[in-house]
Amino acid sequence: MSTAKKSPYVLFQGSQNFRLRIVLATLSGKPIKIEKIRSADLNPGLKDYEISFLRLMEAVTNGAQIEISYTGTTVIYRPGIIIGGSHTHNCPPSKPVGYFVEPLLYLAPFSKKKFSIILRGITASHNDAGIEAIKWGLLPILEKFGVRECALHTLKRGSPPLGGGEVHLVVDTLISQPLTIHELERPHISAIKGVAYSTRVSPSLVNRMIDGAKKVLKGASCEVNITADVWRGENSGKSPGWGVTLIGETKKGWCYFAEEIGDPGAIPEEVGETVAYHLLEEISQSGAIGRTQLPLAITFMVIGKEDIGRLRISRDEVDERFVVLLRDIKKIFGTEAYLKEVDDGNSHDDDFIVTIKGNGFTNANKKIA
Amino acid sequence: LSASAIKRRRKWDIGKLIYMDNIEPKECISRWKGEDEEDDKDESDIEDEDSDFFTKKNGITAQGTDYTADLEKFVPYFEKLDTLAKKWSNFDAINDRFIGSPLKKVTQ
């Protein structure tokens, strides 16, 4: 506590939450220092994809300064102003495009110029956001906060390991601050939709995935609609691959989602089933939004107007990821979230309402204009 | 570490636990969950004296190893497929989440 005050930087340790910390620093304009990045590891320091991410941040901002120590275990990041513009980014084969798109979503609405960024590389993986997860899972969250014109176009798909995909992120809405949201209910799911895709494999795999997922979801009391999306020829990248994303849609605009990709030798029906079960699990564990959507939503609540935003979350969503998210936010913005128990006599009355007072952040570029 | 045994009986307020930087995220969650069965009502007893107590423990910040506390991994944790299959053999648990299913009446 006392050491952090004296340092000109907000101090962090370890490799976790790397992108979030850089993004929060950029939004707040505060320089940060991250120490001990994998310092006990066999390969210490930043990974190639993290360096690549820092390069991307340099490209979309003006005046950012990045200092990396010899061993790569310490980074000092002094953020610049978000300027956006048109860029092309070649992602390393170690991380899919989703890894890079995700943090851009936090910054794009507050840019000087519109974001139009082409990212090349792998478009799917087990651990990072896939194209559909961003398109159907994260962009709706942006929409709820007032960022209506944003899109992720799939120009080419590229399955791991060789990739060869290409996506185009376009964010046309430039706002000075996100809207304040008040979501005190668990929204009702009106439909389940999904996309099952394949690159360079037989289209029958796609149908088998759909069958697997539908078998699980047949008990759901709503419409289930899964689209087949088969990619052929030069737009389908360099490797064979396939996967499925399922989305639980609500009338209010919130949504829940789950996704998975198939490994070589995996059974398509099983992948379809897995994703369907994951969706059910995600729905059961979620309040107004899913676990993967929380960081984006909470961050936008923090940088919102000086007004109190409210969001219903479930008890299950209060996990370690939630704790580290709130701690990092407090460290950089000084904003604390309050958890209020719901207790309205309905089912799920052990939910919480997260209450956050926006810090009145204003897009620096908007102020001048 | 007899202190931890005493602490266990405490009723933890998660809202405060989250911001106690000297307690690891994992520990936060387990302390909070550990007290779950007794049902929580009063949370006033964790006040200043406790935070003093805990600052004596060396200020640890989680070091890299804990993957579950890392937002770099986008996809959250899920149980194994067969566990999930058993759990979701019917939709009773989440039926009220779908439109058109009978709703309990909203009071208030």
Side-chain angles (χ1 to χ4, degrees):
Chain A
M1 199 173 156
S2 54
T3 49
K5 283 247 168 73
K6 271 171 205 131
S7 162
Y9 312 106
V10 182
L11 207 64
F12 290 104
Q13 288 187 333
S15 65
Q16 63 270 45
N17 295 9
F18 184 72
R19 289 170 301 160
L20 180 78
R21 286 166 178 175
I22 297 287
V23 162
L24 292 179
T26 312
L27 286 172
S28 68
K30 286 185 186 150
I32 59 167
K33 183 178 184 182
I34 308 175
E35 298 175 329
K36 296 188 180 165
I37 300 171
R38 300 191 185 88
S39 49
D41 231 50
L42 214 53
N43 294 310
L46 292 170
K47 301 276 187 211
D48 60 341
Y49 51 83
E50 285 160 345
I51 302 278
S52 175
F53 167 63
L54 288 174
R55 293 269 166 272
L56 178 62
M57 292 300 297
E58 259 183 336
V60 299
T61 58
N62 192 2
Q65 288 179 339
I66 301 165
E67 284 169 38
I68 302 171
S69 69
Y70 279 117
T71 48
T73 52
T74 303
V75 180
I76 294 175
Y77 175 74
R78 290 187 196 87
I81 290 172
I82 310 163
I83 51 159
S86 301
H87 298 281
T88 303
H89 187 74
N90 291 314
C91 307
S94 42
K95 280 285 177 188
V97 294
Y99 174 87
F100 301 92
V101 174
E102 200 198 337
L104 290 180
L105 299 178
Y106 290 73
L107 306 176
F110 317 109
S111 166
K112 186 181 171 82
K113 289 181 279 180
K114 292 168 180 174
F115 264 57
S116 167
I117 297 178
I118 289 177
L119 298 106
R120 296 204 180 97
I122 297 168
T123 58
S125 81
H126 283 291
N127 290 332
D128 294 285
I131 300 174
E132 272 73 27
I134 291 169
K135 215 190 266 184
W136 305 112
L138 296 181
L139 295 188
I141 301 289
L142 284 183
E143 241 168 81
K144 292 294 280 185
F145 282 94
V147 188
R148 296 212 171 75
E149 288 160 73
C150 48
L152 185 71
H153 302 291
T154 315
L155 308 176
K156 293 174 188 173
R157 277 196 194 269
S159 297
L162 295 176
E166 193 174 315
V167 297
H168 188 185
L169 173 72
V170 187
V171 180
D172 280 341
T173 310
L174 300 179
I175 52 175
S176 54
Q177 51 196 188
L179 302 176
T180 308
I181 53 158
H182 303 279
E183 184 52 77
L184 304 177
E185 314 257 307
R186 289 187 171 203
H188 292 287
I189 293 158
S190 54
I192 292 174
K193 67 175 184 182
V195 179
Y197 73 88
S198 73
T199 61
R200 299 196 175 274
V201 290
S202 155
S204 70
L205 286 184
V206 172
N207 292 324
R208 288 170 64 191
M209 275 190 288
I210 295 175
D211 288 345
K214 280 200 167 160
K215 204 179 81 193
V216 175
L217 296 173
K218 67 175 186 291
S221 56
C222 70
E223 190 191 335
V224 179
N225 188 1
I226 306 172
T227 317
D229 187 17
V230 178
W231 290 66
R232 290 193 188 85
E234 60 182 43
N235 286 348
S236 60
K238 296 172 191 156
S239 300
W242 38 284
V244 57
T245 308
L246 294 175
I247 305 104
E249 276 189 320
T250 70
K251 283 264 176 350
K252 278 187 167 175
W254 303 107
C255 62
Y256 310 95
F257 71 93
E259 70 173 355
E260 185 60 274
I261 60 168
D263 286 321
I267 304 158
E269 284 86 351
E270 221 165 69
V271 173
E273 272 173 42
T274 309
V275 177
Y277 284 130
H278 283 186
L279 180 69
L280 297 179
E281 184 75 7
E282 192 65 29
I283 291 170
S284 80
Q285 298 209 5
S286 300
I289 58 173
R291 288 177 286 175
T292 34
Q293 300 159 329
L294 264 181
L296 183 62
I298 298 281
T299 305
F300 274 22
M301 285 169 79
V302 167
I303 60 171
K305 266 195 253 73
E306 277 176 316
D307 196 355
I308 289 168
R310 292 171 296 173
L311 179 71
R312 183 169 183 148
I313 63 165
S314 74
R315 214 172 183 82
D316 290 316
E317 281 176 305
V318 182
D319 57 5
E320 288 166 55
R321 291 155 57 97
F322 188 66
V323 174
V324 294
L325 169 72
L326 290 183
R327 283 186 179 178
D328 281 2
I329 285 175
K330 190 189 173 188
K331 252 182 144 174
I332 292 185
F333 286 101
T335 306
E336 282 193 24
Y338 296 94
L339 298 180
K340 242 186 0 207
E341 296 212 21
V342 171
D343 200 22
D344 57 1
N346 285 318
S347 52
H348 309 299
D349 65 352
D350 57 351
D351 280 1
F352 290 106
I353 304 285
V354 185
T355 314
I356 296 175
K357 183 166 176 280
N359 69 355
F361 157 94
T362 311
N363 181 349
N365 303 303
K366 279 271 166 171
K367 231 192 261 176
I368 302 159
Chain B
L1 278 166
S2 62
S4 68
I6 302 163
K7 290 291 128 187
R8 189 155 302 162
R9 247 166 281 140
R10 290 272 189 185
K11 296 182 174 181
W12 289 101
D13 174 11
I14 185 65
K16 284 180 185 144
L17 267 177
I18 286 175
Y19 292 112
M20 291 184 180
D21 283 337
N22 44 7
I23 305 175
E24 298 240 15
K26 196 175 184 172
E27 181 72 15
C28 281
I29 299 299
S30 63
R31 280 188 198 190
W32 173 58
K33 291 256 158 97
E35 141 287 300
D36 244 1
E37 306 106 51
E38 301 166 324
D39 202 20
D40 34 1
K41 256 284 106 88
D42 75 316
E43 43 223 22
S44 51
D45 46 335
I46 358 156
E47 286 299 337
D48 307 319
E49 42 159 329
D50 293 52
S51 43
D52 277 357
F53 179 86
F54 278 109
T55 34
K56 272 164 205 146
K57 264 167 80 181
N58 53 333
I60 5 150
T61 7
Q63 249 305 346
T65 46
D66 199 355
Y67 207 34
T68 49
D70 190 355
L71 291 165
E72 284 293 277
K73 187 173 154 72
F74 181 75
V75 179
Y77 170 79
F78 286 108
E79 303 277 349
K80 288 261 163 49
L81 181 58
D82 28 329
T83 322
L84 289 177
K86 236 174 263 160
K87 184 173 174 186
W88 296 111
S89 57
N90 66 63
F91 281 57
D92 292 350
I94 55 167
N95 244 335
D96 61 337
R97 305 297 300 277
F98 291 97
I99 264 179
S101 52
L103 297 172
K104 276 183 195 160
K105 216 175 165 217
V106 183
T107 48
Q108 197 257 332

